[in-house]
């Protein structure tokens, strides 16, 4: 969900820049995680954003994801898998976010997990190569600044690429 359907990175940057009077951009993160760019004495602030009661529910929707997801659901069994175990406050927020922005996805098709290798599916689209490495189906890397240099996976840059890949 995060960094594939929901733009968590933009919200993280917004809060960090606002609270620390900085101007980090996506360009600053090319090939790096936000945690790699921010000094270690501010990691607790980054963590606190993710644990807040309002972080996930207000995330922007990735462009074209709603339209393409509707089309995918007409042709495939689609499940949303989100690694929510590290941030227990995210469960309800993510559920409400999905209900608000993707009301056509039934709750029975939402999976909260930590390690996505437990999923038994043909494909997994994710921004985190760690999740794809142990997945037994075909892992598809959704481009995000932190994974720009990662090789070894089929890659999609946006939801238009997802649409081309699965719907021709």
């Amino acid at each position: 969900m995060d960094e594939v359907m929901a733009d968590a990175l933009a919200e993280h940057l917004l809060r960090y820049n606002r609270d620390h009077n900085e101007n980090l951009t996506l360009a600053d993160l090319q090939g790096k995680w936000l945690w790699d760019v921010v000094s270690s004495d501010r990691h607790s602030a980054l963590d606190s954003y993710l644990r807040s009661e309002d972080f996930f529910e207000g995330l922007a929707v990735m462009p074209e994801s709603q339209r393409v997801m509707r089309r995918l659901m007409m042709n495939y069994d689609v499940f949303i898998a989100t690694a929510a175990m590290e941030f227990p406050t995210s469960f309800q927020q993510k559920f409400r976010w999905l209900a608000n922005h993707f009301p056509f996805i039934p709750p029975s098709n939402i999976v909260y997990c930590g390690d996505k290798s437990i999923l038994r599916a043909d494909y997994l689209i994710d921004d985190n190569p760690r999740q794809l490495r142990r997945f037994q189906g075909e892992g598809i890397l959704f481009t995000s600044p932190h994974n720009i240099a990662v090789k070894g996976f089929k890659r999609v840059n946006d939801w238009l690429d997802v649409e081309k890949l699965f719907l021709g």
Side-chain angles (χ1 to χ4, degrees):
M1 183 178 137
D2 304 321
E3 287 312 296
V4 176
M5 298 167 69
D7 195 350
L9 183 55
E11 183 66 18
H12 226 159
L13 281 173
L14 176 85
R15 290 179 186 221
Y16 178 80
N17 286 335
R18 175 197 67 206
D19 293 350
H20 297 283
N21 199 27
E22 294 214 19
N23 193 26
L24 286 178
T25 67
L26 294 177
D28 297 320
L29 302 179
Q30 295 303 299
K32 301 174 189 148
W33 293 88
L34 180 57
W35 303 83
D36 297 330
V37 175
V38 169
S39 62
S40 61
D41 62 316
R42 293 184 175 172
H43 284 188
S44 61
L46 294 178
D47 188 65
S48 71
Y49 302 141
L50 295 170
R51 295 184 189 286
S52 71
E53 296 291 334
D54 67 344
F55 183 84
F56 291 96
E57 197 167 353
L59 299 179
V61 177
M62 293 296 219
E64 300 293 335
S65 60
Q66 292 159 307
R67 182 185 62 75
V68 174
M69 189 64 78
R70 272 189 198 278
R71 289 195 62 210
L72 286 170
M73 291 192 71
M74 290 189 275
N75 296 282
Y76 296 92
D77 291 327
V78 177
F79 289 81
I80 306 306
T82 184
M85 305 315 291
E86 294 175 66
F87 305 104
T89 56
S90 73
F91 284 89
Q92 295 260 348
Q93 293 180 61
K94 288 182 175 195
F95 186 82
R96 287 189 300 264
W97 187 90
L98 284 164
N100 185 38
H101 298 290
F102 294 84
F104 51 89
I105 297 173
S108 59
N109 287 33
I110 300 170
V111 179
Y112 294 99
C113 59
D115 182 348
K116 293 180 186 173
S117 70
I118 67 162
L119 302 171
R120 298 295 174 246
D122 296 321
Y123 304 97
L124 173 63
I125 302 171
D126 205 293
D127 70 300
N128 192 335
R130 176 179 54 89
Q131 295 290 2
L132 299 178
R133 284 188 189 103
R134 293 184 49 209
F135 177 68
Q136 294 190 11
E138 183 176 354
I140 300 169
L141 189 62
F142 196 95
T143 297
S144 188
H146 65 84
N147 69 34
I148 206 74
V150 172
K151 306 275 190 245
F153 299 102
K154 186 178 287 186
R155 179 182 290 272
V156 290
N157 293 312
D158 55 32
W159 278 91
L160 296 177
D161 282 354
V162 172
E163 184 174 42
K164 287 178 202 161
L165 182 62
F166 290 101
L167 300 167

